[in-house]
Amino acid sequence: MPELPEVEAVCRKLRRDAVGACITEARLLRKPNRRLERSVAGREITQVARRGKNILLALGDDLTLRVHLRMTGNLYVVDDARLYSADVRAWFRFEDGRALVLEDPRALGVIELLRRRELSSLLESLGPEPLSEEFSYEAFAALARQSRQPAKVFLMDQSRVAGLGNIYAAEALHRARVHPAKPMNRLSARKLSALHKTIVDVLVDAVQSACIAYAGPGRFEARETFTLAAYGREGEPCPACGRRIRRMMQAGRSTYYCPGCQR
DNA sequence: AACACGACCTGGTAGC
DNA sequence: TGCTACCAGGTCGTGT
């Protein structure tokens, strides 16, 4: 379910609700992990950070709880974890009675405890944050020029750019008028530059939209201000040129694009 | 290096 | 109504 914008919305809310909370007890309901459960007890959540689609809850200086929501996860604070039994896969009870809850119907989400070294190797494996200074055009273009990967596959590779997923990769390509199958090293400087810009634009818009719509429990369905131009619109007219949006498969995922303007 | 594909899981929906 | 097939916002491991 969540890509960078939705994960960012989750993190912003957690910064308000969970930072400073002290964990008294934890349970991973799907796959019990006594070591993790024991290790987090008594620890304070000192910081909430996002890197790509990873949520990083710092528990003091040396330990970090990494949560990845994968397709259907959601992470939020509730007043009483016992009231949210349906798809709750893990809970972390706080001293004040509230609890941090991982809700994840498909149970593909990941929770793990990382020591400092493990955290840095995770961070090293990820490409630049597209909404930070490190996502420069030069760095992006340098990677692109040496890759023959199809543009869509390249954008979804977390080691190239961290945080894009199936929806926003498609939307960035559509805005930049780049065909999803175009090999990255064959894009003109003009197209490459357009793509670099639309990645940022799409994510900025989507973060704003996700933050407005996101309230915690529940899904990320309401995209208040972000309208998808291509994703999920097979057969509908392209808002830019009117040609019908097509769907194709790439790396096992659906890709939506406009055969008229994306070339 | 690049790509296909299955595995991990569950639920929703279109079609018969 | 009930069944089947396919689809889903992610990632990893294996094989070609």
Side-chain angles (χ1 to χ4, degrees), chain A residues 20-182:
Chain A
C22 188
I23 298 168
T24 53
E25 191 188 0
R27 279 287 175 281
L28 303 192
L29 305 174
R30 184 133 277 253
K31 203 174 67 169
N33 181 336
R34 298 298 168 222
R35 200 183 77 84
L36 184 149
E37 291 166 357
R38 232 181 296 116
S39 304
V40 302
R43 296 226 171 212
E44 181 191 337
I45 299 174
T46 52
Q47 212 182 350
V48 174
R50 179 189 59 72
R51 188 71 174 81
K53 299 170 196 167
N54 294 280
I55 300 167
L56 304 171
L57 303 165
L59 306 176
D61 289 339
D62 54 331
L63 280 185
T64 299
L65 197 60
R66 175 178 86 103
V67 180
H68 196 301
L69 304 176
R70 293 280 181 95
M71 299 283 260
T72 55
N74 195 359
L75 186 68
Y76 50 82
V77 173
V78 295
D79 288 338
D80 186 341
R82 285 168 299 191
L83 301 176
Y84 289 76
S85 55
D87 295 314
V88 168
R89 306 302 182 196
W91 51 256
F92 301 80
R93 197 180 307 287
F94 297 160
E95 215 164 28
D96 62 12
R98 296 178 307 145
L100 175 68
V101 155
L102 172 69
E103 182 191 350
D104 185 13
R106 276 173 76 179
L108 294 171
V110 173
I111 293 189
E112 63 177 354
L113 199 54
L114 303 176
R115 309 208 155 272
R116 205 185 311 211
R117 177 167 300 183
E118 297 163 321
L119 175 64
S120 45
S121 80
L122 167 76
L123 298 183
E124 279 166 29
S125 72
L126 294 171
E129 273 302 313
L131 298 183
S132 78
E133 293 290 315
E134 61 175 347
F135 185 59
S136 67
Y137 173 67
E138 289 69 27
F140 179 66
L143 281 180
R145 281 191 212 102
Q146 63 195 38
S147 170
R148 281 176 294 181
Q149 271 185 312
K152 163 83 168 357
V153 177
F154 181 95
L155 294 188
M156 295 205 28
D157 182 341
Q158 301 300 296
S159 71
R160 318 281 200 176
V161 185
L164 282 175
N166 211 25
I167 292 179
Y168 300 115
E171 293 298 308
L173 288 167
H174 181 264
R175 284 197 199 185
R177 303 166 65 101
V178 170
H179 193 285
K182 185 90 171 172

Side-chain angles (χ1 to χ4, degrees), chain A residues 3 6-7 16-17 50 64-65 86 88 97 131 133 147-148 162 164 186 193 207 231 238 246 260 263:
Chain A
E3 301 182 28
E6 294 76 25
V7 178
R16 279 178 266 136
D17 295 347
R50 179 189 59 72
T64 299
L65 197 60
V88 168
L131 298 183
E133 293 290 315
S147 170
R148 281 176 294 181
L164 282 175
R186 292 190 36 222
S193 160
V207 165
Y231 183 85
C238 166
R246 283 195 193 150
R263 303 191 163 273

